[in-house]
Amino acid sequence: PSVASSGSRPFIPVDDAFEFPRNRLAIQEVLGQGAFGVVRLATASGICNSRGTTLVAVKSIREDATYEEQCEFVKELEVMKSIKRIGSHINIVNFLGCCTQNGPLCVIVEYCKKGNLRDYLVTFRSYPDNFLRWWDDAEAYMSSVDPEDPESGTATRDMLSQTVLLSFSRQIAQGMEFLAANKCIHRDLAARNVLVNENNVLKIADFGLARNGEYYRKTSAGQLPVKWMPPEALFDQKYTEKSDVWSFGVVLWEIFTLGGMPYSTIPHEDLYSKLMEGYRMERPPLAPESLYDTMKRCWNHFPDERPDFSLLVLILERQLVRMA
Ligand code: ADE
């Protein structure tokens, strides 16, 4: 009954390398809501040279999206295609194909069964033993627990937890290193935009989105994207690999607080002046000093003084080796 929107839709040329036949997608439940669309679970038969069916995530745009929103969505698709032409990386949500003809525009990406990293981290709070599932060698923990003394395994468990959290951090740095090497600036790197697949691999999502001024709007979890932004982005809308590095520092803080709310006591209108005074968040209790030092390097006021993602991969690798 609504006004037909056909005719006010951007023209999208067919790209045979990526076009996937709509009738080979079986759409299932909604996984999440985006800014102007939804993401649904689907099975795709014969996608990316696989013989059987594959679980995938399908992003589509709302029926009543404006022409501008549709153009944004097409831009996202083009970014995903251009990165896919260069290659895949295990730590990004890889693009698998799209349906652009005879119906709503759909973008098909890898499905990440365990949802977003922030919600996932929060589950570790009530079930500290969740960490053990990540550890190949849970025996190291079991053998350190004295059945007479329930506290005796705590030190081992904390060390295992730190190792797991460091490995999360390194995976995100690796995905960001790949994106940065391919001239892709994320602009909204946060734990809510990192997904976890069934094999516990972390994957950076939504790197193809153009973003314009939605940073002051709260996310569904009540987070304000400005709290992930460096001063030069807050003040000058200047986005570079190094502004993503600042956000990565906030992601490290989220990881080591198991999904904490950054700057929870600071109203967003005070954030800029506090940062300019040199205020930075404290060390989360779970974070080793060396990791807190890395966080603070990401939060250097001067973008050029912050490490790039290649260096962050090396730094985190070194910290992981030292834990082992
Ligand atoms: N929500 C949004 N994108 C998703 C994906 N690729 N996998 C699982 N849940 C999602």
Side-chain angles (χ1 to χ4, degrees):
S2 66
V3 181
S5 60
S6 59
S8 62
R9 174 185 156 151
F11 173 72
I12 311 163
V14 188
D15 193 335
D16 285 327
F18 300 119
E19 191 70 22
F20 186 74
R22 224 174 259 284
N23 57 15
R24 279 168 33 203
L25 274 184
I27 301 283
Q28 299 175 21
E29 74 258 28
V30 171
L31 294 170
Q33 304 277 344
F36 39 75
V38 294
V39 182
R40 291 190 182 84
L41 178 65
T43 53
S45 52
I47 198 166
C48 300
N49 306 319
S50 93
R51 289 224 207 101
T53 61
T54 311
L55 281 177
V56 296
V58 177
K59 284 186 167 199
S60 58
I61 187 155
R62 278 196 327 261
E63 293 276 342
D64 61 348
T66 64
Y67 184 78
E68 284 70 27
E69 287 170 331
Q70 296 192 54
C71 291
E72 291 293 322
F73 194 57
V74 173
K75 260 192 242 162
E76 179 184 359
L77 169 63
E78 292 304 324
V79 172
M80 301 207 69
K81 279 186 193 170
S82 67
I83 290 176
K84 187 66 187 180
R85 286 190 194 97
I86 299 162
S88 306
H89 190 281
I90 184 161
N91 297 120
I92 69 171
V93 176
N94 288 289
F95 171 72
L96 303 176
C98 52
C99 311
T100 63
Q101 307 300 312
N102 312 316
L105 176 57
C106 292
V107 173
I108 309 167
V109 299
E110 289 176 323
Y111 170 56
C112 300
K113 186 177 178 181
K114 297 193 179 173
N116 79 68
L117 178 61
R118 192 194 106 93
D119 293 347
Y120 189 59
L121 286 165
V122 171
T123 69
F124 282 61
R125 294 184 186 190
S126 21
Y127 306 102
D129 286 353
N130 271 2
F131 281 113
L132 297 177
R133 279 198 247 129
W134 285 79
W135 191 247
D136 306 330
D137 184 17
E139 279 170 35
Y141 170 68
M142 296 308 179
S143 62
S144 71
V145 184
D146 173 356
E148 302 289 310
D149 173 12
E151 288 298 300
S152 62
T154 311
T156 317
R157 196 179 67 199
D158 286 353
M159 218 175 64
L160 297 183
S161 315
Q162 287 182 339
T163 307
V164 170
L165 298 179
L166 266 176
S167 96
F168 290 178
S169 310
R170 181 188 51 175
Q171 292 184 60
I172 299 171
Q174 285 171 323
M176 289 305 296
E177 180 187 29
F178 173 80
L179 291 177
N182 293 303
K183 304 277 171 273
C184 177
I185 300 167
H186 193 296
R187 295 182 172 84
D188 196 16
L189 179 60
R192 62 181 171 275
N193 288 326
V194 175
L195 300 177
V196 185
N197 82 1
E198 76 275 23
N199 300 318
N200 299 326
V201 175
L202 269 51
K203 290 174 173 277
I204 295 159
D206 288 339
F207 48 83
L209 281 179
R211 295 161 214 275
N212 24 31
E214 71 236 39
Y215 297 104
Y216 291 91
R217 199 177 314 145
K218 279 192 182 168
T219 67
S220 53
Q223 298 176 317
L224 273 170
V226 286
K227 296 200 165 171
W228 279 256
M229 289 164 66
E232 75 275 9
L234 280 170
F235 190 73
D236 265 347
Q237 290 85 48
K238 194 164 173 0
Y239 294 96
T240 60
E241 173 180 355
K242 296 302 182 75
S243 58
D244 280 348
V245 166
W246 176 292
S247 310
F248 178 73
V250 182
V251 173
L252 291 179
W253 186 91
E254 290 185 275
I255 291 174
F256 283 84
T257 54
L258 304 181
M261 278 272 201
Y263 311 99
S264 59
T265 58
I266 299 177
H268 75 86
E269 53 278 16
D270 296 346
L271 183 64
Y272 181 74
S273 56
K274 291 284 275 181
L275 292 176
M276 292 304 276
E277 287 166 15
Y279 171 82
R280 298 293 185 267
M281 287 189 284
E282 282 173 26
R283 182 179 69 84
L286 276 173
E289 283 295 343
S290 54
L291 191 277
Y292 183 52
D293 182 65
T294 308
M295 247 180 240
K296 284 190 294 187
R297 287 176 72 183
C298 296
W299 297 332
N300 194 301
H301 175 80
F302 301 102
D304 291 346
E305 304 282 313
R306 299 173 200 151
D308 61 16
F309 283 110
S310 300
L311 181 54
L312 282 164
V313 169
L314 294 174
I315 292 172
L316 293 168
E317 232 140 58
R318 210 164 48 206
Q319 293 182 17
L320 260 170
V321 170
R322 255 185 281 141
M323 295 293 298

